[in-house]
């Protein structure tokens, strides 16, 4: 999960536009949200560095998604405006994922193509569910918006939209995180368990010290954005229970960076020097900035491979 989260951020970082999550997408997200990602595909294609990242770190599951969309006549590079992914926890079926895509495609055109291929839909409540490639299914929410996922995850999302299960708006922690980033070119929010796993991975051996378990319990959620306007900019904010926890995490993470720098290559050392770590009240703040040329050199380094896969 943590690897695909970072990979999505890296490959989808964008410039220029600000596109908040559509109400149709938000209404389908259950309250048991693990992670929510918002991507502006319109700007992705305008950044050569973002395109290079896409080729470098595109996860297999996203390749399968783009292939599935192409199978119903939607070209991700040309037809998508906005894409939202929501991963949510379920009691019996583990983590499920739902996607909502908006763009210049037309439901009428797509459904006509499916009919010509003799692909038939099934009914779930008032919705018509159509099969896609790679075992996914989809339904149109309006002429230019479709929701997709596995059959079980799509049913869960439709039940949420129809008021049969609690929605994202009943989860105050995650909606508070969203309010700080929704509308950015690329943004994501992560729940407590997901954030704890992410920080454990980032800290490496430092996360195995005796008092980390008590610190971990005070890590509550996180949010992050990335864009390619005037170089590469990445901002991460980790919400903790109090200022002491945030300050402690900041100190430990600075130590981890210094340790990594000892064995880093010149390119990696430059990247570490370009990152700043601090705390602000109860939040741990991480910022990274680089120009395009240096970042593209970093993409070929072992350090980049370690954090993006």
């Amino acid at each position: 999960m943590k690897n695909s989260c970072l990979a999505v951020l890296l490959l989808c970082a964008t410039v220029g536009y600000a596109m908040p999550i559509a109400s149709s997408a938000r209404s389908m997200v259950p309250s048991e949200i693990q992670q929510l990602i918002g991507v502006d595909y319109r700007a992705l294609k305008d950044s050569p560095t973002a395109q290079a990242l896409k080729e470098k770190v595109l996860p297999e599951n996203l390749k399968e998604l783009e292939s599935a969309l192409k199978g119903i006549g939607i070209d991700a590079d040309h037809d998508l405006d906005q894409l939202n992914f929501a991963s949510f926890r379920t009691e019996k079926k583990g983590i499920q994922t739902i996607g909502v895509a908006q763009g210049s495609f037309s439901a009428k055109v797509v459904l006509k193509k499916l009919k010509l291929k003799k692909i038939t839909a099934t009914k779930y409540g008032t919705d018509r569910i159509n099969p896609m490639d790679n075992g996914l299914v989809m339904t149109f929410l309006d002429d230019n918006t479709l929701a997709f996922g596995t059959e079980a995850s799509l049913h869960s999302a439709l039940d949420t939209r129809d008021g049969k299960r609690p929605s994202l708006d009943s989860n105050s922690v995650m909606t508070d995180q969203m309010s700080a980033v929704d509308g950015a070119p690329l943004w994501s929010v992560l729940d407590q368990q997901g954030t704890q796993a992410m920080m454990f991975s980032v800290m490496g051996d430092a996360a195995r010290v005796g008092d980390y378990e008590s610190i971990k319990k005070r890590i509550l959620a996180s949010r992050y954005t990335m864009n390619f306007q005037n170089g590469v900019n990445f901002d991460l904010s980790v919400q903790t229970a109090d200022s002491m926890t945030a300050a402690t995490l900041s100190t430990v993470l600075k130590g981890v960076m210094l340790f990594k720098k000892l064995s880093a290559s010149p390119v990696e050392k430059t990247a570490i020097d370009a990152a700043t770590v601090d705390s602000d009240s109860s939040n741990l703040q991480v910022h990274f900035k680089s120009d395009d040329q240096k970042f593209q050199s970093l993409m070929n380094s072992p350090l980049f491979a370690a954090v993006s896969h």
Side-chain angles (χ1 to χ4, degrees):
M1 179 275 301
K2 62 180 177 61
N3 294 330
S4 62
C5 294
L6 180 55
V8 169
L9 283 174
L10 291 172
L11 69 92
C12 296
T14 58
V15 296
Y17 301 98
M19 199 171 190
I21 185 171
S23 58
S24 56
R26 184 177 181 128
S27 69
M28 299 188 74
V29 180
S31 64
E32 306 91 345
I33 184 71
Q34 177 197 44
Q35 184 183 31
L36 185 59
I37 299 172
V39 180
D40 186 340
Y41 257 71
R42 300 172 304 171
L44 172 63
K45 56 191 174 187
D46 293 335
S47 170
T49 304
Q51 290 297 327
L53 280 166
K54 181 178 179 180
E55 293 302 315
K56 189 77 174 178
V57 301
L58 185 66
E60 284 301 320
N61 58 342
L62 287 186
K63 290 180 182 178
E64 292 174 358
L65 165 63
E66 291 195 349
S67 174
L69 288 172
K70 191 172 184 178
I72 60 172
I74 297 174
D75 187 329
D77 290 329
H78 299 96
D79 299 331
L80 289 188
D81 291 341
Q82 183 183 24
L83 191 60
N84 293 106
F85 288 99
S87 299
F88 53 94
R89 306 178 190 279
T90 62
E91 185 176 345
K92 296 181 179 180
K93 297 183 179 180
I95 300 294
Q96 294 184 329
T97 302
I98 184 71
V100 179
Q102 290 181 292
S104 57
F105 53 84
S106 166
K108 294 178 182 178
V109 173
V110 172
L111 293 175
K112 184 177 180 180
K113 290 180 179 179
L114 294 180
K115 187 175 181 180
L116 290 174
K117 292 181 179 180
K118 297 183 179 180
I119 297 175
T120 58
T122 58
K123 294 273 287 187
Y124 185 74
T126 59
D127 296 281
R128 297 182 66 83
I129 310 297
N130 292 276
M132 302 172 72
D133 293 339
N134 303 317
L136 302 179
V137 296
M138 65 88 177
T139 188
F140 279 96
L141 307 179
D142 58 48
D143 193 48
N144 305 112
T145 308
L146 66 85
F148 58 92
T150 64
E151 186 175 70
S153 64
L154 186 58
H155 288 179
S156 295
L158 290 171
D159 287 346
T160 301
R161 181 202 63 185
D162 295 338
K164 297 178 181 178
R165 59 184 298 167
S167 71
L168 171 66
D169 288 333
S170 65
N171 186 331
S172 60
V173 172
M174 295 298 275
T175 54
D176 286 347
Q177 293 296 312
M178 278 185 59
S179 66
V181 296
D182 187 13
L186 183 284
W187 57 267
S188 178
V189 295
L190 198 60
D191 75 345
Q192 183 175 36
Q193 287 179 250
T195 302
Q196 289 172 346
M198 176 186 68
M199 293 303 297
F200 184 87
S201 175
V202 168
M203 291 187 173
D205 290 340
R208 295 176 173 83
V209 298
D211 60 348
Y212 181 75
E213 280 300 312
S214 61
I215 297 174
K216 184 183 76 171
K217 296 174 183 177
R218 305 182 73 79
I219 297 173
L220 305 180
S222 62
R223 59 181 184 265
Y224 35 92
T225 63
M226 191 174 181
N227 67 65
F228 276 60
Q229 191 170 18
N230 300 319
V232 179
N233 290 272
F234 173 79
D235 287 283
L236 165 69
S237 179
V238 178
Q239 180 187 355
T240 72
D242 51 61
S243 58
M244 181 66 73
T245 302
T248 301
L249 282 175
S250 175
T251 300
V252 173
L253 191 53
K254 287 177 182 177
V256 170
M257 292 168 62
L258 288 174
F259 180 76
K260 293 284 188 183
K261 193 174 178 180
L262 293 175
S263 59
S265 68
V267 170
E268 293 170 342
K269 287 179 181 178
T270 300
I272 293 172
D273 288 338
T276 60
V277 178
D278 209 340
S279 61
D280 178 16
S281 185
S282 59
N283 293 316
L284 167 70
Q285 305 282 3
V286 179
H287 175 70
F288 170 81
K289 181 175 176 61
S290 175
D291 62 41
D292 290 304
Q293 184 177 1
K294 290 179 181 177
F295 191 77
Q296 292 202 30
S297 296
L298 178 64
M299 281 195 293
N300 297 314
S301 72
L303 176 63
F304 181 85
V307 302
S308 63
H309 293 288

